[in-house]
Amino acid sequence: MKIILILLFLLPCISNGLTFKDGEAVDNSQSNKTSQNSTNIETLKSENKSFKPFECSKLDTEHLRINNLNNCLIVQELSNKYEVKSQDFDTNTWNSPLLLRYIDIDGEVKILAHTWNNVVEWGQSSNKQPFSHLAIIDIPNLSMIFEKKINQIDSYHYTLPLTARRVDTIDTDNDGNKEIIYLSNKEDGRNRNSSWKDVNYIFDLNDNSLGKFGSSHFSHDLMYTDFNNDGFLEVIDYFYDPGGQIEICDLKNSKCTKAKNSNQFIEIGFNHILPSKDGAIIFGGCPNLGDTSFCWSKINYKNNKISFQKLDSYELKPKPQDEAQFLIWTGDVTKKPGYWVKGSDKKEFKQADRAWMSTTIDFNDDGFMDSIGIEKEVVCKRKDSTKPFNRSGGDCKEEAFLYIFENKDNSNFEKHQIIPTTINDAFRIEKADINKDGTVDLYGFREGYFNPWSVCSRPQLNSIYLNKNNEYFVHASSKLIEENFGLYGCERASSFFEKDEQFYRLFLTTPNEKADVAYIGIENYTGKFLANKTEIVNIKRQDTNNKVNDEKNISEEFLSIVSILNNVNPLNKTGVNSFKPMLKPVYFDSLGINLTGAKLITFEKDYVMYEGLFNYKEIEFSITLCAQYWEEHKFLGNLVGFNYANGFGNIEKLKKYGIGWCGNTIGFVGHWDGDESIKTDTDLFPFLKEMEKNWPKILRNFSILDDSQNKIVKSWK
C-alpha cells in the first residue's frame, strides 16, 4: 500500500501539465503530446500481487448457480474502499466498475478492470484531486490455467490521478496493441460549483505509462475513427462548455482542434460515431429539442478543420413546453423539460429524458454501420408540489426502449425495430457474439448503479438481445441464460471474448450485498453451449419425424400446436357465458383458432387488458391478452399474458414465458420481446406476431368497450 500513500501525498499537486514519472511530479505544461511521445511518458508505480486461482464453486456466497459443463475460475481479488462513503451500504468501489475487458497483447492475455473512488463529501464543493483504480491481470496461458498447471497469477494495481467519464481500449499508436483511453473530468460526486475540468489520458500497457492529451475541460462523450485513413485514430471528445463543443485530437501528431458549432447539429450526451466512406457520421440527440429527437450529421475533418452537415432526424415525442424542478444526484436543484399531466395539480410530470445510451453495429451485414439508441419514458409523481421531484429518491418510474435504425447508404436512417428493454449498464450497450452463430449481439446489465436491494436478489445479466440471421433482434430467453452461464455471487459486470476457438465470459462479482471484497472470474462456456446447440438440433429433428411428441400430452422438449391445444383447460357453460361475443369472429391462422368473445379486465388511457374467448374444434378456452400503446414512441404492442389471470388456456407449462409487462402488471410477452425459447421449444411465436397483425380487426369487432374507451383506443396510431 506504499504506492497509494505516495500518490495521495502527490495528488493535490497535480494540475494540467503535471504528470507522474517514477513517483515524482514532472512539469510538462508546455507539452501537449500523447503517450506516443517520450516527453510525456509517465511510469507509474504499482502494487504487485500474486493470486492463487480457485474454482468458482468455492465462492462463499448464497447467490450461486453452477453449470456443470462449464469451467470457471476466480482469478483476482479486489478490495478498494471509498475514501469518502456516499452511502452506508456501498463499501466497495468495485460495485460500480467502469471497465472490464479482455485484451490480447502480443499473444498474452490481459484482463483489465477500472473503477473510480469518491474523495469528497457527496454534493460538496471541492477542488480536491480525484483518483481511480486500475487492475491489470496477466494470464500467460488460459488453457493451462483451466488445466490447473498454473498456480499463481500476477497482477498490477494502480491508483491513477484521474476520474474517467468514459473508458475504452483502442489502438492509439498503431502498434497493433490496444491501450486504455480515458476521457476525464472531476465528476465524482462533488458539487457543480467545483472545478470539474481535466485533460484526457492514455495508459500504455506495453510499458505501464500514463500520458496526457487534449485540453482541460469537462469531457463527456468519447468517439473515435480514422478520418484520413492513415492508420491512426482521431479521438472525438464532446465536452461541456456553454452549449457543448467538440475537440478532435489526431493521435499521430498530437494536434487537437475544437469545433464551436457542433451543438448546432448534435446535442451533447452519449453519442456515437459511424465511419463512412468519405468521413464519418455522428449520432445523438437533436439540439435544443428537449431530448425528444435523434439526429444524424456528417462530419468532415480535413487539415485540422471540422465541418458538419445534417443528414437525418427522427422525432420521438413533441418538443416540451413545460419545466419542473428536480433534485439531482450532486445535491443541486435544476429545471428539466417535459410535460405536466393535466388535472394533477402539478404533482405529476413526464420528463423529456434523453437517449442515455447508444452504439453502432452493422446488424444486417450490408457494409453500412447502423445506429442503436435507448430512449426513456419517465413519469414522476410527488405528494408536495412545493418540493422538487427527486428522481433518485423514488419519485419517478422509468420505461426504456431500444431503437434500431438501419443505415440506408449513409444518407438516411430508417427505424427498423423498437424493443422494450431493461439495459441500464452504466451508460453502455455492450456487443459480442454471445451465442456464437456468427452475428453480433447486444447486451447489458439490468442495474447500472449499485443497489443492494436488487443486485443480489435477481440475476443482472438479463438484457441479452440476439441478432437473428442479420435480420432483427430478439430477447434471449431466461432458459438460454440459465443453461449456458453460471451465476457467481452478486455480479456487477460481464464481458464476452473468444480465444483459440474457446468461448469465455469474464465477470466481476461480490459475495453479498455489503461485501468489501470483489472478485474477477472467467467462465469457459464452450462445452455447455455446444451441447445445447446439439440438443436443439436433435429436438427439431425428432419432432419433424414425429418420434418424440405425443400429441395428447405436452412434451418436455417441444410444444407443438396440437399438443398445446389438446392441453388447454376448457371452459364450462357458465364460464363461456361470462364473455361478450365479438361482432364477428377473428381467425388466427397460426393456430387455427377463432376469437369469438372478450371480457374486459382493465382499461387505462394507454392499455387495455382483456380475456379472449377462443374456439378450437369443439373446445372453448380463454387466453389473457393486452394491447398497450406508447404514445411517445408511436408504438402499439399486443401481448399474450402467459402468466397472468388465466394465461394461455391455464396451461401451467406456458407460464414461464410470461416475463414482460403490460402497464403495471408482469406476466405478458409480445413478439418483439419474446423469450427466445418460445421459438425453439414451441409453435407459439407466429401467434405472437399474428396478434400484432390482427389488432385492427379485433378492435373493429369489440363489444366490451364504451364510446369513450373506443375513442381512446382508435387514437392509438
Side-chain angles (χ1 to χ4, degrees):
M1 299 298 291
K2 289 183 179 179
I3 180 58
I4 296 178
L5 296 175
I6 294 172
L7 287 173
L8 291 177
F9 176 77
L10 293 171
L11 284 174
C13 303
I14 302 171
S15 61
N16 184 32
L18 286 181
T19 50
F20 278 122
K21 187 172 184 176
D22 297 326
E24 301 291 334
V26 179
D27 189 353
N28 288 324
S29 58
Q30 302 303 313
S31 172
N32 188 29
K33 307 293 185 180
T34 67
S35 63
Q36 290 82 4
N37 300 93
S38 60
T39 57
N40 199 35
I41 291 178
E42 316 305 328
T43 303
L44 300 175
K45 292 184 178 181
S46 68
E47 182 182 5
N48 299 346
K49 295 183 179 181
S50 291
F51 183 84
K52 186 176 182 179
F54 61 87
E55 297 281 349
C56 296
S57 58
K58 296 181 179 179
L59 273 174
D60 185 16
T61 177
E62 62 178 324
H63 309 284
L64 190 65
R65 184 184 71 228
I66 302 294
N67 279 316
N68 294 327
L69 291 181
N70 292 5
N71 293 317
C72 185
L73 290 175
I74 301 298
V75 297
Q76 193 64 202
E77 180 181 292
L78 303 170
S79 57
N80 297 103
K81 295 182 179 180
Y82 285 107
E83 183 176 277
V84 178
K85 291 177 61 177
S86 58
Q87 296 145 332
D88 290 338
F89 58 78
D90 199 353
T91 60
N92 188 357
T93 65
W94 295 98
N95 283 328
S96 302
L98 298 177
L99 179 73
L100 182 65
R101 195 72 52 82
Y102 149 86
I103 62 171
D104 195 318
I105 296 184
D106 296 330
E108 293 186 359
V109 174
K110 290 184 182 291
I111 305 300
L112 312 177
H114 179 92
T115 191
W116 61 283
N117 207 310
N118 194 60
V119 300
V120 299
E121 291 288 342
W122 201 260
Q124 298 298 307
S125 183
S126 174
N127 292 325
K128 187 176 180 180
Q129 173 65 44
F131 63 91
S132 53
H133 306 283
L134 171 65
I136 304 173
I137 301 103
D138 287 335
I139 310 291
N141 189 302
L142 274 171
S143 61
M144 291 181 67
I145 290 177
F146 282 104
E147 293 169 4
K148 301 185 180 173
K149 295 180 180 180
I150 297 176
N151 295 321
Q152 296 290 331
I153 296 176
D154 295 327
S155 60
Y156 307 88
H157 296 246
Y158 296 88
T159 299
L160 303 180
L162 60 92
T163 294
R165 180 69 180 188
R166 298 285 181 266
V167 190
D168 208 344
T169 53
I170 62 175
D171 186 1
T172 61
D173 54 8
N174 199 26
D175 67 347
N177 294 319
K178 290 184 176 181
E179 291 75 43
I180 307 174
I181 185 168
Y182 296 98
L183 248 60
S184 300
N185 59 48
K186 299 175 183 178
E187 186 184 19
D188 56 0
R190 65 189 75 203
N191 188 277
R192 287 186 171 183
N193 295 324
S194 304
S195 175
W196 282 3
K197 295 183 177 181
D198 198 2
V199 297
N200 301 316
Y201 299 84
I202 294 174
F203 191 97
D204 194 325
L205 293 157
N206 286 309
D207 56 10
N208 296 331
S209 62
L210 185 69
K212 295 184 176 184
F213 73 97
S215 306
S216 179
H217 45 239
F218 185 104
S219 297
H220 198 276
D221 299 340
L222 169 64
M223 295 163 277
Y224 47 85
T225 191
D226 185 3
F227 279 99
N228 52 13
N229 296 314
D230 64 351
F232 287 83
L233 294 170
E234 284 76 48
V235 173
I236 299 176
D237 178 3
Y238 201 156
F239 64 93
Y240 272 118
D241 207 301
Q245 294 184 38
I246 276 178
E247 183 175 63
I248 297 185
C249 292
D250 188 335
L251 298 185
K252 183 179 182 180
N253 55 32
S254 308
K255 291 184 178 180
C256 296
T257 303
K258 293 181 182 178
K260 294 186 178 181
N261 65 338
S262 54
N263 59 0
Q264 299 176 20
F265 295 88
I266 297 289
E267 194 172 74
I268 193 170
F270 311 97
N271 302 302
H272 73 247
I273 193 166
L274 300 79
S276 63
K277 294 179 181 179
D278 54 351
I281 299 169
I282 188 171
F283 167 83
C286 300
N288 305 313
L289 288 179
D291 302 325
T292 61
S293 301
F294 288 133
C295 271
W296 293 262
S297 291
K298 184 179 178 182
I299 302 179
N300 298 305
Y301 175 70
K302 192 174 182 181
N303 298 324
N304 296 318
K305 294 184 178 180
I306 310 166
S307 62
F308 300 87
Q309 177 186 349
K310 185 177 178 179
L311 288 177
D312 203 358
S313 63
Y314 179 85
E315 184 179 287
L316 297 156
K317 53 181 84 76
K319 184 178 181 180
Q321 302 298 318
D322 304 322
E323 287 183 332
Q325 288 191 325
F326 280 77
L327 178 68
I328 62 175
W329 62 280
T330 60
D332 301 286
V333 176
T334 185
K335 291 183 178 178
K336 298 287 187 180
Y339 321 83
W340 288 109
V341 177
K342 293 181 180 179
S344 68
D345 196 26
K346 293 198 172 182
K347 292 183 178 180
E348 191 170 346
F349 186 79
K350 286 188 176 182
Q351 185 183 338
D353 203 4
R354 69 178 64 194
W356 284 105
M357 293 181 284
S358 68
T359 192
T360 176
I361 183 175
D362 184 7
F363 80 89
N364 54 6
D365 197 28
D366 65 351
F368 295 98
M369 299 304 294
D370 309 298
S371 292
I372 309 288
I374 289 182
E375 174 64 9
K376 287 186 178 180
E377 180 177 330
V378 184
V379 180
C380 303
K381 296 181 181 180
R382 61 186 178 185
K383 295 181 179 179
D384 189 347
S385 61
T386 65
K387 295 182 179 180
F389 290 101
N390 187 349
R391 188 167 171 176
S392 60
D395 287 353
C396 302
K397 175 188 175 183
E398 296 181 356
E399 287 185 334
F401 299 83
L402 187 71
Y403 279 78
I404 295 96
F405 293 94
E406 183 179 358
N407 184 345
K408 297 293 188 177
D409 198 25
N410 289 330
S411 59
N412 66 289
F413 291 80
E414 184 179 283
K415 182 183 69 176
H416 179 74
Q417 196 176 3
I418 305 175
I419 308 172
T421 186
T422 57
I423 294 180
N424 193 22
D425 190 16
F427 314 121
R428 294 190 300 268
I429 305 173
E430 301 283 10
K431 296 177 289 185
D433 184 4
I434 294 176
N435 59 353
K436 304 305 171 184
D437 64 350
T439 62
V440 181
D441 311 306
L442 305 171
Y443 74 98
F445 264 35
R446 187 195 298 266
E447 302 289 343
Y449 297 107
F450 179 73
N451 183 339
W453 299 280
S454 63
V455 297
C456 292
S457 63
R458 58 186 183 183
Q460 296 302 304
L461 185 62
N462 183 65
S463 301
I464 297 177
Y465 299 92
L466 302 176
N467 186 342
K468 306 305 291 184
N469 304 315
N470 293 318
E471 296 176 359
Y472 56 92
F473 292 92
V474 297
H475 191 285
S477 68
S478 56
K479 179 181 178 182
L480 182 142
I481 297 170
E482 292 173 6
E483 290 192 354
N484 289 285
F485 311 113
L487 177 65
Y488 306 101
C490 309
E491 295 186 7
R492 302 298 304 128
S494 274
S495 182
F496 297 85
F497 68 95
E498 184 177 351
K499 177 72 173 176
D500 299 328
E501 298 183 348
Q502 297 290 299
F503 313 144
Y504 300 94
R505 182 176 75 99
L506 189 65
F507 62 89
L508 192 151
T509 191
T510 61
N512 53 64
E513 293 87 341
K514 297 182 179 181
D516 57 5
V517 64
Y519 297 101
I520 294 177
I522 306 176
E523 181 179 29
N524 185 325
Y525 66 98
T526 309
K528 183 68 180 178
F529 186 77
L530 292 180
N532 277 353
K533 289 178 72 175
T534 303
E535 290 167 9
I536 292 171
V537 171
N538 289 339
I539 290 166
K540 290 183 177 180
R541 184 183 302 118
Q542 290 170 333
D543 186 54
T544 301
N545 295 332
N546 294 317
K547 294 181 179 179
V548 172
N549 285 323
D550 180 354
E551 292 186 347
K552 295 183 180 180
N553 298 287
I554 296 182
S555 169
E556 293 292 337
E557 289 92 1
F558 190 83
L559 304 180
S560 67
I561 293 173
V562 175
S563 65
I564 292 171
L565 296 179
N566 281 351
N567 281 272
V568 297
N569 288 283
L571 295 170
N572 56 32
K573 187 175 181 180
T574 303
V576 171
N577 290 338
S578 66
F579 289 82
K580 288 187 176 181
M582 301 290 286
L583 300 178
K584 290 182 180 179
V586 180
Y587 182 68
F588 287 82
D589 182 69
S590 59
L591 298 182
I593 58 178
N594 281 293
L595 174 62
T596 61
K599 181 166 57 179
L600 185 64
I601 299 176
T602 304
F603 185 91
E604 299 289 344
K605 60 184 178 179
D606 55 353
Y607 71 91
V608 55
M609 193 182 300
Y610 61 102
E611 281 289 310
L613 177 66
F614 288 84
N615 177 276
Y616 170 67
K617 295 181 179 180
E618 303 297 323
I619 301 172
E620 291 184 291
F621 67 99
S622 68
I623 302 176
T624 307
L625 302 166
C626 186
Q628 181 166 6
Y629 183 66
W630 289 271
E631 183 178 358
E632 289 81 356
H633 309 277
K634 302 295 186 286
F635 177 60
L636 175 64
N638 291 280
L639 308 100
V640 177
F642 290 111
N643 197 26
Y644 182 74
N646 290 320
F648 191 109
N650 266 320
I651 298 178
E652 185 70 27
K653 292 184 178 182
L654 295 178
K655 290 183 177 182
K656 64 181 180 180
Y657 301 117
I659 59 174
W661 294 79
C662 181
N664 297 317
T665 305
I666 196 169
F668 294 80
V669 70
H671 75 86
W672 67 89
D673 194 33
D675 193 315
E676 178 66 8
S677 59
I678 290 180
K679 288 186 175 182
T680 59
D681 297 355
T682 79
D683 277 332
L684 286 173
F685 188 76
F687 176 65
L688 300 183
K689 297 202 70 172
E690 201 172 4
M691 279 299 306
E692 195 82 15
K693 176 183 175 183
N694 278 347
W695 172 247
K697 192 180 297 184
I698 295 172
L699 176 60
R700 288 196 303 269
N701 291 286
F702 260 158
S703 60
I704 58 173
L705 304 180
D706 60 30
D707 291 342
S708 61
Q709 292 171 335
N710 268 315
K711 186 177 180 180
I712 293 173
V713 172
K714 288 178 180 179
S715 69
W716 295 349
K717 299 180 179 179

